[in-house]
Amino acid sequence: VMTPFSSWGPTDDGRIKPDVVANGFDVYSTGANSNNHYFVMSGTSASSPNVSGSLGLLLQYHKELYGDKPLLSSTIKALVIHTADEAGNNEGPDYQFGWGLMNTLKAVQVMKRNHERGGSHIYELALNQGSQITLQVYSN
C-alpha cells in the first residue's frame, strides 16, 4: 500500500519512476543516540537504506560467487527490476510502484541459478552500433 507521503512519476520525459519501491513505513531501525538505540521510522529515510543495504548484499553475494569481477550497475538494476514483486492495482510497471516491490531473496535465487548453470540467466554483453546479439531461448 502506498503511503500518503510517497511521490511518484512519470518524469518529464515520460520515463517510469520510481524503478522499484521498498518498505519505508514503520521500519524498525538503528539510531545515533547510543550503541543500542533503536526506533521506528517512516519515509524515504527508511526505504532508501532498505534498498541500499539490499544492493550491498547482492554485490557481496556476487563477489562470493565470482571473486573480484565487478557487476555492472546496469546489470544490478535489471536484476532488481526483474525480480521485484508486483505491487499496486496495475499489472506491470506503473508510475506509482515502478516495476514493483524489491525482493532481495528472488534476486539472490536468480544469481545462484545463474552461477549453477554457467551463466545462462544473466548476460553482460556490449551491443555496438549496427550490431546484433542472438540468444537461444527454450521454453516448455
Side-chain angles (χ1 to χ4, degrees):
V1 175
M2 185 67 67
T3 59
F5 54 78
S6 296
S7 59
W8 49 79
T11 61
D12 288 341
D13 62 3
R15 288 173 292 134
I16 291 177
K17 292 296 172 190
D19 291 313
V20 293
V21 294
N23 182 30
F25 181 72
D26 281 351
V27 176
Y28 189 64
S29 185
T30 57
N33 293 343
S34 68
N35 287 341
N36 59 355
H37 177 216
Y38 295 90
F39 68 109
V40 175
M41 63 188 299
S42 296
T44 55
S45 296
S47 61
S48 294
N50 178 346
V51 172
S52 299
S54 295
L55 292 175
L57 291 171
L58 294 176
L59 292 171
Q60 178 62 36
Y61 187 58
H62 178 79
K63 187 173 185 174
E64 289 174 19
L65 293 175
Y66 299 102
D68 287 331
K69 179 185 174 201
L71 191 63
L72 296 174
S73 60
S74 56
T75 303
I76 196 83
K77 179 179 178 179
L79 180 63
V80 168
I81 285 173
H82 291 288
T83 57
D85 291 333
E86 179 60 48
N89 296 326
N90 303 315
E91 192 70 28
D94 59 61
Y95 296 124
Q96 287 183 313
F97 295 90
W99 293 87
L101 180 67
M102 185 173 180
N103 187 326
T104 308
L105 177 60
K106 268 207 275 191
V108 165
Q109 290 168 337
V110 169
M111 294 171 76
K112 183 178 179 184
R113 277 194 306 273
N114 184 65
H115 182 71
E116 291 171 348
R117 296 180 182 170
S120 62
H121 288 73
I122 300 172
Y123 298 93
E124 290 187 316
L125 306 169
L127 182 60
N128 297 318
Q129 183 71 27
S131 299
Q132 66 181 16
I133 294 173
T134 303
L135 301 173
Q136 199 71 31
V137 178
Y138 300 94
S139 176
N140 53 9

